[in-house]
Amino acid sequence: MFLGTHTPRLDDKGRLILPAKFRDELAGGVVITKGQERCLYVFPMPEFQRIAGQLREQPVTHKAARAYSRVFFASAHDEIPDKQGRVTIPAHLREYAGLNRELVVIGASTRVEIWDKQSWEQYLSASEDDFADIEEGVLPGGL
């Protein structure tokens, strides 16, 4: 399970050093793809394969599933982190997420998310007031 918030930097070659506590689980390979709210999702290969299987089970006649699959798979980039735990984020994904040098990398249970630092701060600021209200809908009965 991926937990926590980290603040690495993107180097001049578009590489990110993965947080040390995430490296073991991601060492076998990752898939980086577009996420919601203009962040990037980083999946360990087994989790990506599980999601891909779920999407494959959707009928090709399901319009929303087709649309989601197209973007999800077309933007995906697979890679094995190097010995220093670095992965290269392709230019099209850096552009999509508006990534500059300062990043925020969060653990989001079964995936890692990469955010531009300013975008993450804006998202948190806009979302924190709703956080308590959202719990009831996400966790019926609350914690």
Side-chain angles (χ1 to χ4, degrees), residues 9-123:
R9 289 191 165 151
L10 200 60
D11 72 13
D12 294 335
K13 296 179 181 178
R15 295 178 300 190
L16 161 72
I17 298 176
L18 295 166
K21 68 185 290 187
F22 297 167
R23 289 184 202 161
D24 285 345
E25 193 165 347
L26 298 174
V30 300
V31 177
I32 305 169
T33 192
K34 290 180 177 180
Q36 274 70 43
E37 291 87 31
R38 295 253 171 205
C39 73
L40 300 179
Y41 290 165
V42 181
F43 295 102
M45 188 59 74
E47 178 64 8
F48 184 82
Q49 290 169 339
R50 184 190 68 77
I51 294 166
Q54 287 180 320
L55 289 169
R56 273 193 305 272
E57 290 173 9
Q58 297 300 314
V60 75
T61 56
H62 191 286
K63 186 176 181 177
R66 274 195 325 270
Y68 187 82
S69 291
R70 285 178 182 138
V71 173
F72 188 73
F73 292 114
S75 65
H77 168 76
D78 61 326
E79 184 169 348
I80 295 176
D82 69 12
K83 291 178 182 171
Q84 286 81 34
R86 295 180 300 196
V87 292
T88 300
I89 302 173
H92 74 280
L93 291 175
R94 292 194 311 263
E95 183 178 320
Y96 167 79
L99 300 183
N100 293 306
R101 191 163 174 76
E102 303 294 323
L103 304 178
V104 174
V105 174
I106 65 165
S109 184
T110 60
R111 70 180 181 274
V112 173
E113 294 183 359
I114 302 171
W115 291 76
D116 174 72
K117 185 177 182 183
Q118 185 176 3
S119 296
W120 173 248
E121 289 170 353
Q122 289 171 348
Y123 175 80

